[in-house]
Amino acid sequence: MLVPLTRQKFEQVIPLIATGLQYKYYWGKFSNFLQRLLISVVAVVVILLVTVIFKLEFASIVFVLGVISAFFWLWYPVFQASMRNLQCRRYKYGGFFRGRVLDWWITDQLMGKTETVNSKGELVIIENREKQINLEVGDETGFSIEFVAPLRPAHKVITRGQIAEMVVMSNRPDLSSIEEFSDIYFPSRDLWVSDYPYLRRDFFNEVGRRLREDQQQRPRRRRRSTEE
């Protein structure tokens, strides 16, 4: 089932400003925080040096630049997530897709390589691999999507035939060509599968709940009209 979303609904489920989960995603590991903190410190020092050396008198501008630089470590994850959200919001049309898991499998993804030297002085290449879950989700019309995300322990409850929901994005009003799609939600397990959490989950769950209620009510209306 693929139901077009109004522009208002589409922009509600794909937020402009980063959500808490999106901020956490781009916050990264402690090493990422240290990198941002180092950039903040260097930027502040450079601004102070330039101000002293060139004796700049634009106090208000220097102050604003200093504050922005000092808090770079804090606001940059918001900027990264918001830019990623903006890429999705550039699509003209969105739709709510509900299908079932047609198949799933596990793969190893090479994330990078690290070169080191062992005790014998020999060069050793260490491969950094991550297990990923691959999902094929489709509906009765033959439409299907292949989705890849990092494997998590909670994913063990996923089975073939489970209902899966997501938002799809397109530049065509009939959604005949899907350009991008969001993370996947399994309502029977209240489980999200994703790498990046694209959606405002509270709005998405509300949209899904209303569509499920509409789908349940339609057969009843047909029976009344038949009896009449």
Side-chain angles (χ1 to χ4, degrees):
M1 180 183 72
L2 182 57
V3 180
L5 295 174
T6 64
R7 188 65 196 180
Q8 181 182 9
K9 288 293 182 184
F10 179 61
E11 292 183 353
Q12 284 179 340
V13 296
I14 305 288
L16 179 60
I17 305 300
T19 64
L21 288 175
Q22 293 170 348
Y23 183 82
K24 182 179 179 181
Y25 177 89
Y26 275 109
W27 179 265
K29 300 178 181 179
F30 185 67
S31 59
N32 302 120
F33 163 71
L34 288 180
Q35 290 175 356
R36 294 195 302 271
L37 184 60
L38 179 61
I39 293 173
S40 291
V41 172
V42 171
V44 170
V45 171
V46 169
I47 290 173
L48 291 176
L49 288 175
V50 170
T51 303
V52 172
I53 293 173
F54 294 98
K55 298 180 180 180
L56 299 178
E57 298 180 357
F58 304 103
S60 59
I61 297 177
V62 172
F63 175 76
V64 171
L65 290 176
V67 171
I68 293 174
S69 301
F71 289 97
F72 174 83
W73 60 272
L74 182 64
W75 61 259
Y76 190 60
V78 176
F79 174 77
Q80 288 178 293
S82 299
M83 290 301 296
R84 189 161 182 176
N85 293 347
L86 183 60
Q87 291 178 356
C88 292
R89 290 164 67 98
R90 286 176 178 170
Y91 292 107
K92 297 179 181 178
Y93 306 97
F96 179 92
F97 174 69
R98 178 183 293 132
R100 293 184 180 274
V101 177
L102 304 179
D103 197 7
W104 68 270
W105 61 96
I106 306 298
T107 56
D108 276 335
Q109 178 67 31
L110 179 64
M111 306 304 294
K113 295 181 180 181
T114 304
E115 295 184 355
T116 185
V117 179
N118 61 17
S119 57
K120 298 180 180 179
E122 299 172 339
L123 180 64
V124 178
I125 299 177
I126 301 175
E127 293 184 345
N128 300 320
R129 292 185 173 272
E130 179 183 67
K131 287 189 176 296
Q132 296 184 325
I133 185 169
N134 297 256
L135 294 169
E136 183 182 1
V137 179
D139 61 10
E140 64 279 359
T141 66
F143 175 77
S144 65
I145 288 174
E146 289 191 9
F147 182 89
V148 182
L151 182 65
R152 301 287 183 258
H155 298 168
K156 63 184 178 181
V157 300
I158 297 175
T159 58
R160 293 178 180 84
Q162 276 184 321
I163 292 178
E165 300 174 342
M166 70 180 76
V167 170
V168 297
M169 290 153 259
S170 176
N171 285 320
R172 296 185 179 182
D174 60 355
L175 304 175
S176 59
S177 176
I178 302 302
E179 308 293 339
E180 185 61 87
F181 45 86
S182 70
D183 26 348
I184 298 179
Y185 179 61
F186 293 87
S188 63
R189 296 289 185 174
D190 192 24
L191 172 67
W192 288 89
V193 177
S194 65
D195 177 20
Y196 177 74
Y198 285 96
L199 304 178
R200 270 287 304 268
R201 296 182 174 181
D202 51 349
F203 281 115
F204 178 83
N205 288 337
E206 178 63 20
V207 172
R209 183 186 64 81
R210 290 182 179 180
L211 290 176
R212 283 191 291 271
E213 290 177 353
D214 291 344
Q215 197 173 32
Q216 292 173 357
Q217 293 173 0
R218 283 173 188 170
R220 297 177 184 175
R221 292 174 182 173
R222 289 173 184 169
R223 283 197 294 269
R224 289 196 200 101
S225 61
T226 302
E227 290 173 2
E228 292 174 359

